[in-house]
Each structure stands twice: as C-alpha cells, then as structure tokens.
Amino acid sequence: MLGEGSFGIVFKVVDFANQFYAMKIIQSGDCDEMGQEQLEEVKSEIAITSKLVHPNIIRLLSSEYLEGESIIANLFELAECNLSTIVGNLSEDKAMKIFLDICNGVKYLHSQYFIHRDIKPSNILLVEGNAKLSDFGLVKFLPPSDKFIDNYT
C-alpha cells in the first residue's frame, strides 16, 4: 500500500511487462458512504484528470467503474514520493526545479480553464525528477467569460 485518501487506497501494482504503476481503489464501502452526489464528483474528477495531458500533471492511464461491485479502479503513473516527504532535504536548485514544474502545471491547468484549489506538498508528486500536480478532487472549471474580462480591464 502506498497511501490512503478520503475515499480509497493507493497500491503499487505491476503489469506483465514488469512496469510499475499506482492504482487507486475506491471500494464498495467507500462508494456506499459517498452517496450519489459524491460518487458523481469522483466520476467528474476522473473525467477531468483523464483529459489532462502535460509533463507536470500526474497521468491517469485508465479508469474502470464496476457498477455491480461499486468499485472504481484508477491506474496512474507511479511517483517516487510526494513533496511533503522531502521538503526539508532539497537543494536550492532542486527546489527551484520543483517550483518551476508546478508553475508550468498550473499554467497548463489555467489554459484549460481549470482551477486546482488544493495545491499542497502532499499533492505534488515526483516522477523521474519532475514535479507533477495530483489530486483533482476540488478542481473547478471556469470557462472564459466576457463578464470576468469586463470586471478586470
């Protein structure tokens, strides 16, 4: 087991080609506790995450919802760790690289009209030397609006 979230457990898994991944499992008890509204939010998070393709966004590779068993299985690229586990042991150069990676990830999200709303060290994953944003449960879609532009020009 790699970790546990509000809804679900993350495991390290391996495929037949000996490639490692992270699999988040939301089991029937968690799905039952959620209720329909929260289940729809989880499905929305999956839909959003599956559309995000950027070097500084954690990649959702596949997702399966087994309705009969109320299980959701999400397969992600595997991260070595999250930022909270190494934050006190970073060189200035490494800290700057992580900062720039996160800025690039946020810039990409904003270009797609998404606001993350939950950026914190535990949601910044490190994959092969690159920092990647994860956990899109609080993401909001804010499409362009003439009203917004009028208010700030």
Side-chain angles (χ1 to χ4, degrees), residues 28-144:
S28 59
D30 295 326
C31 290
D32 294 341
E33 283 177 31
M34 278 190 229
Q36 192 60 36
E37 184 177 322
Q38 287 178 313
L39 184 58
E40 291 305 316
E41 287 175 10
V42 168
K43 288 180 180 179
S44 174
E45 176 185 356
I46 292 166
I48 290 167
T49 306
S50 69
K51 294 176 186 170
L52 300 174
V53 180
H54 187 273
N56 302 116
I57 303 289
I58 199 70
R59 186 79 177 120
L60 174 63
L61 303 167
S62 70
S63 181
E64 296 293 328
Y65 177 59
L66 307 171
E67 196 164 346
E69 286 120 49
S70 295
I71 294 175
I72 300 172
N74 297 322
L75 188 68
F76 293 92
E77 63 183 318
L78 182 65
E80 290 96 40
C81 62
N82 68 52
L83 184 58
S84 66
T85 63
I86 62 164
V87 76
N89 300 315
L90 293 172
S91 68
E92 187 176 334
D93 288 344
K94 184 64 177 170
M96 182 61 72
K97 165 92 167 74
I98 290 170
F99 176 74
L100 292 173
D101 285 351
I102 296 312
C103 288
N104 285 326
V106 169
K107 180 180 176 183
Y108 169 75
L109 283 176
H110 291 180
S111 76
Q112 303 300 305
Y113 306 107
F114 290 111
I115 307 298
H116 191 282
R117 302 187 330 144
D118 196 23
I119 296 173
K120 57 188 178 185
S122 61
N123 289 341
I124 298 170
L125 304 180
L126 298 174
V127 178
E128 297 177 358
N130 296 310
K132 298 187 177 214
L133 291 171
S134 69
D135 192 347
F136 297 93
L138 296 179
V139 163
K140 289 291 180 193
F141 179 68
L142 294 174

